[in-house]
Amino acid sequence: MSTIEIDVLVVGAGPTGLALAHELRRHGLRCRVIDQGEGPSIWSKAQAIHARTLELLERAGIAQDLLRDGKRIRQVNIYGAAGRRVAHMEIEGLDTAYPYIYSLAQRDTEIVLARCLERAGGVVERQLRLARFSQDEHGVDATLVHADGREEAVRAAWLVGCDGAHSTVRHALELPFEGSSYEVRIIQADVRVDLPIPAEDDEAVVFFGEGALVGLLPLPGKHRYRMLVPRPPGDETDATLENFQRIFTAVGPPGAVVDDPAWMIAFRLHCRMVGRYRVGRVFLAGDAAHIHSPAGGQGMNMGIQDAFNLAWKLALCHHGRARPELLDSYHAERHPVAAATLAGTDAATSGLAFNLGLRSHTALELRNRLVGFATSLGFLRRKLSRAASMLDVHYPGSPIVAQDRPSLLGAHVFGQRSDEAPFVRDWFHFGHGPAPGDRAPDVFDPEIEDSPRLFAAFDPLRHTLLLFDGASASEAGYRGFVALAERLAARFPGLVAVRIVVPHDERPAPLAAWPGEVLQDADGRIHERYGARSECLYLVRPDGYVAYRCQPADPDKLVAYLERIFV
């Protein structure tokens, strides 16, 4: 058996591979990132970065690097014939510091991520491709080919294929890429568009016409847009400036001008995914594992979120701190998310094809009225905003999330059975608090600039334990929390960061000598958002999802859960 040279070989330096490599380095793993291209491609179809992805990038310390040059999209306007607006929708109802869609060309995203990786001590090795690999129970032997044809043998503990839809890694594993291709094509370009109608910097614009649709998503720069033009089945229109102008003249406002293209491309839509994300010591992430219609702009975001899900698990297992079964949860959690996303984008693409087939004035007018009515409904706007933000992505069926709470049936409180007294039931559950597998929500005051945020208290590299004593705030409860923190430090050293949340604006006396962090929640925002009506605890994973919750805060049950994960 050859000696391990590196911990992880990451194949592919797109957004997924770069985010994964950065996370692996943060978690203390040695990795190499290889890519057969010369640099970030100008043919970068991804543009939207959603709220959940920005939250994860914030945990990695690189969100602010991305937020310097892009555009924040906060509203969408839809126009019909002759430039008449038929619908308006604002992004709303998002409990996040990023209540918008962030627009940045994928090429620029890759440049920023590569710069952050270099700052962390990593490097992207360009014009270096994976030729073949084999694996055994201890590692992976890979053969790399340099631009001059020279071969290099590498021994890695793990290999992750982030090498896109035509993945060499996936082909070598002989994993079927199951799914289909759509008859609908898209021609797309980054162009300058001079609109004769008002358009704000934070506004995406859609134009409906007979047999055509044009979407404009703002990009950095004056009057710069990503123009997307779906074409109906059988239409083989080329991506040329003349065609973009011709189509937009037909469906856009009179006098609009399209020019100065940075790049143009035509491509067919696909909906495919693998049945397995892991084969032994080899994993797939991003487009290597799943591709789908760009409806909703979630493809790049899914890949980056794959990376954040995998990195902390790989690090814990590689360092011998977690049980090997933890790595199986990568597929168990991310595969259902991809399947749901593919189903949603498939429905949206089918709807798009239907719209492109509308021809009669009556059908077009009815479509416009329905769109206008639907977007006037507040609950639907909030639902669409939540879906686009990806804040509701969760892992309810994951094998590594759990909870413990008292049984309500048969319990007697204040002389009533708990299943007969609504207020008693409310006391003994978590209310609207996040369930196991849900995103752990941020808490802050959106009306106050630079308001303190709960996310600032989460440890970006370890599990974070939030301990709530509820309204009782007893001295005995605090002493019990300190004892629990000391027990965890001794049993799982360096793995759990403890935070005690108190309903006061000062540190309670029983915690005066405790060296840990106390979160002061005088206005009760954190208690309310986490449903902490009484004593309870939440354990939050390094990727910001709830791993475990317990009511009341039972130390033995928490330790029993942790022993299922950690060695």
Side-chain angles (χ1 to χ4, degrees), residues 2-8 30-32 140-141 152-157:
S2 53
T3 303
I4 296 293
E5 300 174 11
I6 56 171
D7 298 330
V8 186
R30 302 167 300 155
C31 65
R32 289 181 67 178
V140 180
D141 290 300
E152 176 188 357
V154 176
R155 175 75 171 173

Side-chain angles (χ1 to χ4, degrees), residues 24-65:
L24 292 172
R25 291 195 66 86
R26 283 202 321 122
H27 284 276
L29 295 188
R30 302 167 300 155
C31 65
R32 289 181 67 178
V33 189
I34 65 169
D35 193 281
Q36 62 183 358
E38 296 182 4
S41 171
I42 64 169
W43 313 106
S44 51
K45 294 189 281 288
Q47 173 191 10
I49 306 177
H50 294 302
R52 184 54 184 155
T53 304
L54 287 169
E55 288 184 345
L56 291 169
L57 293 170
E58 177 189 333
R59 295 179 68 83
I62 57 180
Q64 291 306 313
D65 293 85

Side-chain angles (χ1 to χ4, degrees), residues 2-119:
S2 53
T3 303
I4 296 293
E5 300 174 11
I6 56 171
D7 298 330
V8 186
L9 176 62
V10 178
V11 182
T16 301
L18 292 169
L20 176 63
H22 187 273
E23 276 299 279
L24 292 172
R25 291 195 66 86
R26 283 202 321 122
H27 284 276
L29 295 188
R30 302 167 300 155
C31 65
R32 289 181 67 178
V33 189
I34 65 169
D35 193 281
Q36 62 183 358
E38 296 182 4
S41 171
I42 64 169
W43 313 106
S44 51
K45 294 189 281 288
Q47 173 191 10
I49 306 177
H50 294 302
R52 184 54 184 155
T53 304
L54 287 169
E55 288 184 345
L56 291 169
L57 293 170
E58 177 189 333
R59 295 179 68 83
I62 57 180
Q64 291 306 313
D65 293 85
L66 280 170
L67 293 173
R68 291 172 182 164
D69 300 319
K71 292 282 184 74
R72 292 162 171 79
I73 301 175
R74 302 178 187 272
Q75 57 181 321
V76 180
N77 279 311
I78 301 176
Y79 292 85
R84 178 174 63 90
R85 191 172 81 172
V86 299
H88 170 77
M89 190 184 84
E90 295 186 3
I91 295 174
E92 58 185 72
L94 304 184
D95 57 334
T96 176
Y98 310 101
Y100 46 77
I101 298 171
Y102 190 66
S103 173
L104 188 68
Q106 180 180 324
R107 175 181 174 84
D108 296 324
T109 298
E110 291 181 14
I111 290 172
V112 172
L113 291 175
R115 187 185 307 134
C116 292
L117 176 60
E118 291 172 3
R119 191 170 65 205

Side-chain angles (χ1 to χ4, degrees), residues 259-324:
D259 63 4
D260 192 21
W263 58 271
M264 298 176 288
I265 192 173
F267 59 94
R268 195 167 300 281
L269 305 181
H270 303 272
C271 180
R272 300 180 185 278
M273 66 184 300
V274 292
R276 300 170 63 188
Y277 278 28
R278 177 191 184 188
V279 178
R281 288 181 166 266
V282 181
F283 301 83
L284 295 174
D287 286 356
H290 45 73
I291 58 172
H292 56 85
S293 162
Q298 297 188 331
M300 178 178 67
N301 293 269
M302 285 180 60
I304 293 174
Q305 291 176 34
D306 285 347
F308 276 86
N309 185 285
L310 177 60
W312 67 272
K313 299 172 180 177
L314 201 54
L316 283 172
C317 289
H318 182 77
H319 290 311
R321 306 300 305 276
R323 300 187 183 281

Side-chain angles (χ1 to χ4, degrees), residues 331-355:
H331 170 90
E333 292 183 344
R334 295 304 297 170
H335 188 271
V337 171
T341 301
L342 265 64
T345 57
D346 181 69
T349 305
S350 298
L352 176 64
F354 173 79
N355 272 276

Side-chain angles (χ1 to χ4, degrees), residues 474-515:
S474 67
E475 290 192 12
Y478 290 141
R479 287 195 296 271
F481 286 167
V482 170
L484 174 57
E486 293 172 346
R487 180 179 177 184
L488 295 179
R491 179 68 182 85
F492 309 103
L495 294 177
V496 181
V498 178
R499 310 288 187 250
I500 299 178
V501 189
V502 303
H504 310 293
D505 57 4
E506 59 185 20
R507 193 181 186 101
L511 302 179
W514 182 58

